Amino acid sequence: MNKFILNFFIFFCIFFPELHAQQSYSGNSVLHCDANNESTDPSSAVLYTCNGEKPSCQAFLIFKAHPPYDSISTISNLTSADPLQLALINNFSLSAIFPPNKEVIVPVNCSCSGQYYQANTSYIIPTRQDHYFSIANNTYQGLSTCKSLMQENTYSNSSLDAGLVLKVPLRCACPTSNQTSNGTKFLLTYVVDWGDTIYDISMRFNSSMESVADANGIDLSNPLIFPFTTLLVPLSTKPSSLQTKIHSQQPPYFSPFTPVIWKKTSNKRYGVWIGIGIGISLLVICFVLLLAYFHKKKAIEAARNDQLGRKKWELPQDFLVSIDQSLKVYDYEELEVATENFSHRCKMGGSVYRGVLNGELLAIKQMSKDVDKEVSLLNRINHFNLISLRGACEHFGVFYLVYEFMENGSLKEWLKKRNCQRFQIWNYRIQIALDIANGLHYLHSFTTPPYVHKDICSENVLLDRDLRAKIANFSLARSAERDESRKSSMWCLGTKGYMAPEYIEYGLVTPEMDIYAFGVVLLELITGKEAVFIQDGKEVLLSEVILKIMKGENVEVELDQLIDPSLKGQLWMELARRMMKLSIDCLAEEPESRLSMAEVVSCLLRIQLDAQRS
Ligand SMILES: *[C@@H]1O[C@H](CO)[C@@H](O)[C@H](O)[C@H]1NC(C)=O
Ligand SMILES: *[C@@H]1O[C@H](CO)[C@@H](O)[C@H](O)[C@H]1NC(C)=O
Ligand SMILES: *[C@@H]1O[C@H](CO)[C@@H](O)[C@H](O)[C@H]1NC(C)=O
Ligand SMILES: *[C@@H]1O[C@H](CO)[C@@H](O)[C@H](O)[C@H]1NC(C)=O
Ligand SMILES: *[C@@H]1O[C@H](CO)[C@@H](O)[C@H](O)[C@H]1NC(C)=O
Ligand SMILES: *[C@@H]1O[C@H](CO)[C@@H](O)[C@H](O)[C@H]1NC(C)=O
Ligand SMILES: *[C@@H]1O[C@H](CO)[C@@H](O)[C@H](O)[C@H]1NC(C)=O
Ligand SMILES: *[C@@H]1O[C@H](CO)[C@@H](O)[C@H](O)[C@H]1NC(C)=O
Ligand SMILES: *[C@@H]1O[C@H](CO)[C@@H](O)[C@H](O)[C@H]1NC(C)=O
Ligand SMILES: *[C@@H]1O[C@H](CO)[C@@H](O)[C@H](O)[C@H]1NC(C)=O
């Protein structure tokens, strides 16, 4: 299996043009194991070149907590970092356990050894199954490389036995004099994860895209980065725990499945990248399905052992088809403790509370109606852009659903924060639109049976700490099977301003109604106005305003006037116009004339690419 994966990477390896840069990014060739004899020059596919101002310095690595390496003591043992420093910089107690996939900042001493920078640590091989590649890529998550392990250790790949002690050089680097003169004090080694972009990474660590690109020799007009490879992020101050996040557990199922991009792109590299994406996604999905299967087995056992007579959640039969996340059934007492007895201080509005459960901040929603449908739906789906349900609880007919916590609240609230700095940055709005589109695309096309959300509106889109959007509130969602039953008997349900004409008139429930509602949310993002707003004392629907403009004469001028004034510069105006056009195509009167979600995703991806190139 591993050999196959390896060949796969070698086969698709991409070489980057030489650039004048501090270090060079060698893409997937860091994953190769064969000793590099193509050139005698030091290669960043082994470790970073020793070209800094100083031969040694303090550096930082980002390691993602992953059992068994999920506490200060185990991570410091793995990386030879000082446990006290590790606890201090992560603002974390020595005895606590990090949630899975939480980023942990690891301070290391980085120094030149020959032609390469490295931070030394050692690793005791725990089982016979380990080999150099799996130690570098899986245990050390790409913070070391297969080649450098083979150079430092004399054992052959096949003689790696349990109990052997390996020398492990970790990838790190010290700032060059050019970087120092720009104010860089430290370099952070970051391992790229699924869905990461240079823009996100540089914003999160308070760096600039240019300096990150320059540090890694990446051409910003073609910013390709690959999961499990490292980037150097120049920092002017020590990193802080406030900048770390928890990564999603699965790769997003986004665009690789959208054939539209294949056809329309003229960029060959992009195509290859999508090819790799599909390959990797399929492999990872197989792996995830296997994992899900074992998780499920555990969950079933846990449910059997649970003799307290509490409500049991139905476990879907076809668990190999749907990816299950093994829901937890919480005790009411646990929720009481977490929310300080459902006190005002923990209330976040409506009937939603915040609370810490097992060390993780979560949102707890109180509901009096039956939640079976929502639970069984959310239990079957799993996507980065759909809110994840962690567990549930029933207490005397009142239901409590426990979700992941979304720091930035709803999109509706966020759009009112006009003076917030990130509000003015258009890349965020494009990303939010893309996130919602990806979530809907998944719901419409990759669940079995396909689902219609039925209540897409800015209130039901939640934003996490990094302003990544997730769709929430699936209480109206239903299967989109095309039979007579798609006519809903209670079609008045929904949110005013977002309901498609065919739904208001005939109660037709189809994926196209979600696309219409998405068009309205997109309009809100572009105009900064609400879906229903008051003008001259009268209630006005944003979608009707557009309809009226489209029928008028000065279409272009009037549409331009609607665009949020915080958009400055010709480029942004041009991108906003393209988004406006997209939104109008989603709002077509006839459901058949609306764009499909796949087309929306591909269109937004292109807009995002153009925005990042600028
Ligand atoms: C090392 O050994 C493992 C299993 O024994 C194999 O899967 C892997 O491809 C080998 N790697 C190299 C570089 O030979
Ligand atoms: C450092 O900056 C100087 C002047 O701007 C430039 O000539 C040189 O190539 C740079 N060095 C690197 C490694 O980028
Ligand atoms: C490594 O060097 C040997 C001998 O010079 C050559 O035969 C072989 O093709 C080289 N391998 C690679 C991957 O370049
Ligand atoms: C990690 O722990 C093992 C056993 O507890 C110990 O032998 C080893 O020296 C430790 N490694 C480091 C780098 O502290
Ligand atoms: C790193 O270097 C500093 C200063 O030279 C030293 O005090 C510290 O113990 C070193 N840390 C480790 C983990 O070696
Ligand atoms: C550390 O965490 C505590 C809560 O656990 C918080 O109150 C404090 O502000 C944090 N300190 C820093 C520097 O982030
Ligand atoms: C790290 O290990 C290398 C090779 O094992 C050695 O040459 C170098 O001196 C070590 N660096 C430090 C700071 O111990
Ligand atoms: C590399 O490690 C990651 C986890 O860190 C894993 O998901 C991925 O499949 C590994 N890559 C290969 C080629 O095994
Ligand atoms: C230094 O800063 C300038 C302007 O911010 C940027 O263009 C350049 O790439 C930076 N150089 C380095 C080495 O980070
Ligand atoms: C971000 O970096 C700039 C300098 O590049 C600094 O002035 C500012 O204080 C930093 N902000 C944070 C939140 O660290």
Side-chain angles (χ1 to χ4, degrees):
M1 174 88 177
N2 262 305
K3 189 142 196 186
F4 166 66
I5 298 170
L6 214 65
N7 287 337
F8 196 84
F9 277 117
I10 296 169
F11 184 73
F12 279 109
C13 169
I14 288 168
F15 295 95
F16 286 83
E18 288 288 327
L19 288 167
H20 274 291
Q22 315 307 308
Q23 298 281 354
S24 64
Y25 181 65
S26 36
N28 276 335
S29 57
V30 295
L31 300 170
H32 298 181
C33 276
D34 46 356
N36 171 41
N37 68 347
E38 292 145 0
S39 69
T40 48
D41 290 343
S43 161
S44 64
V46 181
L47 291 169
Y48 288 115
T49 311
C50 200
N51 63 357
E53 206 177 23
K54 293 187 201 141
S56 72
C57 64
Q58 159 110 80
F60 299 93
L61 318 172
I62 293 287
F63 181 84
K64 286 186 281 272
H66 183 68
Y69 307 107
D70 56 359
S71 66
I72 295 291
S73 62
T74 51
I75 295 174
S76 74
N77 184 294
L78 187 68
T79 59
S80 300
D82 178 43
L84 286 177
Q85 274 190 37
L86 195 60
L88 202 65
I89 196 159
N90 288 289
N91 194 15
F92 208 72
S93 95
L94 280 170
S95 55
I97 301 290
F98 289 102
N101 281 318
K102 165 82 177 161
E103 288 179 351
V104 179
I105 303 167
V106 181
V108 293
N109 288 345
C110 187
S111 57
C112 282
S113 165
Q115 48 191 349
Y116 295 118
Y117 275 120
Q118 62 186 58
N120 288 345
T121 180
S122 57
Y123 177 67
I124 303 172
I125 298 178
T127 62
R128 281 201 78 145
Q129 274 99 48
D130 261 346
H131 45 92
Y132 286 125
F133 178 77
S134 66
I135 294 169
N137 174 72
N138 300 55
T139 309
Y140 283 94
Q141 305 178 356
L143 289 170
S144 187
T145 62
C146 189
K147 280 180 196 155
S148 64
L149 283 175
M150 289 165 80
Q151 284 177 5
E152 290 262 336
N153 297 283
T154 49
Y155 316 108
S156 81
N157 185 28
S158 53
S159 64
L160 291 184
D161 244 328
L164 280 183
V165 182
L166 292 187
K167 291 184 202 160
V168 179
L170 300 173
R171 290 172 75 86
C172 60
C174 299
T176 61
S177 48
N178 280 8
Q179 284 171 326
T180 310
S181 64
N182 259 13
T184 298
K185 293 216 173 63
F186 310 102
L187 291 172
L188 172 99
T189 310
Y190 180 86
V191 182
V192 176
D193 205 332
W194 296 98
D196 276 337
T197 62
I198 294 186
Y199 178 76
D200 287 340
I201 298 167
S202 48
M203 287 305 272
R204 201 141 64 78
F205 293 101
N206 189 23
S207 191
S208 71
M209 272 173 84
E210 290 74 29
S211 62
V212 171
D214 186 59
N216 296 281
I218 289 174
D219 180 4
L220 271 184
S221 67
N222 191 14
L224 289 188
I225 51 176
F226 301 84
F228 322 127
T229 64
T230 61
L231 285 182
L232 289 172
V233 183
L235 304 175
S236 55
T237 54
K238 287 189 178 184
S240 125
S241 60
L242 299 173
Q243 293 168 321
T244 61
K245 70 169 190 178
I246 298 178
H247 284 262
S248 66
Q249 316 234 353
Q250 268 90 43
Y253 290 77
F254 68 127
S255 49
F257 292 110
T258 317
V260 190
I261 310 171
W262 281 87
K263 280 185 240 141
K264 295 197 178 168
T265 179
S266 58
N267 189 332
K268 279 190 194 139
R269 278 219 192 105
Y270 199 53
V272 172
W273 169 218
I274 291 170
I276 298 171
I278 293 183
I280 298 177
S281 309
L282 289 179
L283 286 171
V284 172
I285 289 168
C286 290
F287 182 66
V288 167
L289 285 174
L290 264 177
L291 262 189
Y293 174 70
F294 286 113
H295 256 241
K296 166 67 71 184
K297 263 182 128 174
K298 261 200 210 153
I300 292 174
E301 271 157 30
R304 271 201 205 111
N305 296 339
D306 182 19
Q307 296 297 330
L308 294 171
R310 265 185 261 107
K311 185 163 178 96
K312 306 269 191 323
W313 306 106
E314 288 266 289
L315 297 168
Q317 299 292 305
D318 51 347
F319 48 76
L320 275 178
V321 178
S322 61
I323 296 167
D324 170 54
Q325 25 184 0
S326 64
L327 280 191
K328 182 164 165 43
V329 178
Y330 287 97
D331 283 326
Y332 180 68
E333 291 72 31
E334 275 179 275
L335 300 188
E336 266 189 331
V337 171
T339 58
E340 300 175 11
N341 243 333
F342 294 97
S343 80
H344 262 296
R345 281 203 299 150
C346 295
K347 196 162 179 157
M348 301 196 303
S351 51
V352 183
Y353 296 80
R354 83 180 94 203
V356 175
L357 286 157
N358 296 329
E360 190 186 0
L361 185 58
L362 294 168
I364 299 154
K365 188 174 175 187
Q366 197 176 24
M367 292 165 105
S368 50
K369 62 179 178 229
D370 197 12
V371 294
D372 267 4
K373 256 206 215 145
E374 182 164 359
V375 170
S376 94
L377 168 60
L378 283 178
N379 195 19
R380 297 158 58 92
I381 58 178
N382 193 353
H383 186 276
F384 177 75
N385 298 118
L386 304 178
I387 194 90
S388 120
L389 181 67
R390 296 297 166 80
C393 164
E394 190 215 8
H395 184 68
F396 293 113
V398 180
F399 296 90
Y400 300 87
L401 296 188
V402 180
Y403 300 94
E404 65 184 307
F405 186 77
M406 300 293 281
E407 283 87 349
N408 272 305
S410 76
L411 175 60
K412 185 175 177 156
E413 293 304 313
W414 186 73
L415 281 171
K416 289 180 189 159
K417 294 181 191 157
R418 306 211 114 252
N419 47 5
C420 146
Q421 194 199 350
R422 295 204 279 187
F423 185 84
Q424 322 242 346
I425 300 177
W426 273 74
N427 281 328
Y428 282 119
R429 299 208 206 177
I430 299 170
Q431 183 65 58
I432 290 170
L434 191 53
D435 280 338
I436 307 170
N438 272 323
L440 278 178
H441 183 35
Y442 173 77
L443 204 60
H444 291 171
S445 308
F446 296 112
T447 58
T448 35
Y451 277 90
V452 179
H453 183 281
K454 276 190 73 185
D455 198 11
I456 292 294
C457 59
S458 53
E459 202 172 352
N460 287 339
V461 171
L462 303 181
L463 302 174
D464 73 5
R465 178 202 264 180
D466 304 316
L467 289 182
R468 296 301 296 266
K470 299 185 191 220
I471 299 172
N473 197 352
F474 287 79
S475 58
L476 294 185
R478 47 174 288 178
S479 128
E481 311 263 71
R482 296 190 180 246
D483 53 27
E484 268 310 293
S485 71
R486 72 191 176 137
K487 280 199 174 183
S488 163
S489 52
M490 299 190 299
W491 64 75
C492 48
L493 289 174
T495 305
K496 191 168 181 184
Y498 297 90
M499 285 182 282
E502 75 278 5
Y503 178 66
I504 297 177
E505 222 165 305
Y506 311 109
L508 273 186
V509 175
T510 61
E512 285 78 26
M513 71 179 288
D514 282 349
I515 296 169
Y516 183 93
F518 172 81
V520 180
V521 175
L522 193 54
L523 271 186
E524 291 182 85
L525 277 167
I526 307 162
T527 62
K529 288 188 163 50
E530 289 187 64
V532 182
F533 59 97
I534 308 289
Q535 195 174 47
D536 307 329
K538 269 193 300 187
E539 225 180 42
V540 184
L541 302 190
L542 192 52
S543 54
E544 282 177 2
V545 174
I546 295 292
L547 214 65
K548 224 180 260 168
I549 294 179
M550 295 305 288
K551 286 181 184 149
E553 278 169 8
N554 288 331
V555 176
E556 236 109 88
V557 176
E558 286 184 57
L559 285 181
D560 275 1
Q561 279 167 358
L562 264 185
I563 290 174
D564 191 322
S566 75
L567 274 176
K568 296 197 183 81
Q570 206 43 43
L571 170 92
W572 291 124
M573 201 61 188
E574 141 75 15
L575 292 176
R577 282 192 196 118
R578 279 163 68 186
M579 280 168 79
M580 181 72 96
K581 165 98 181 40
L582 186 64
S583 148
I584 289 166
D585 288 343
C586 294
L587 293 174
E589 190 95 24
E590 296 295 323
E592 299 77 32
S593 331
R594 288 174 207 150
L595 291 180
S596 74
M597 228 50 228
E599 286 167 316
V600 172
V601 168
S602 110
C603 194
L604 280 169
L605 272 173
R606 254 173 285 141
I607 294 179
Q608 186 181 51
L609 208 64
D610 290 344
Q612 284 174 353
R613 274 187 186 153
S614 58

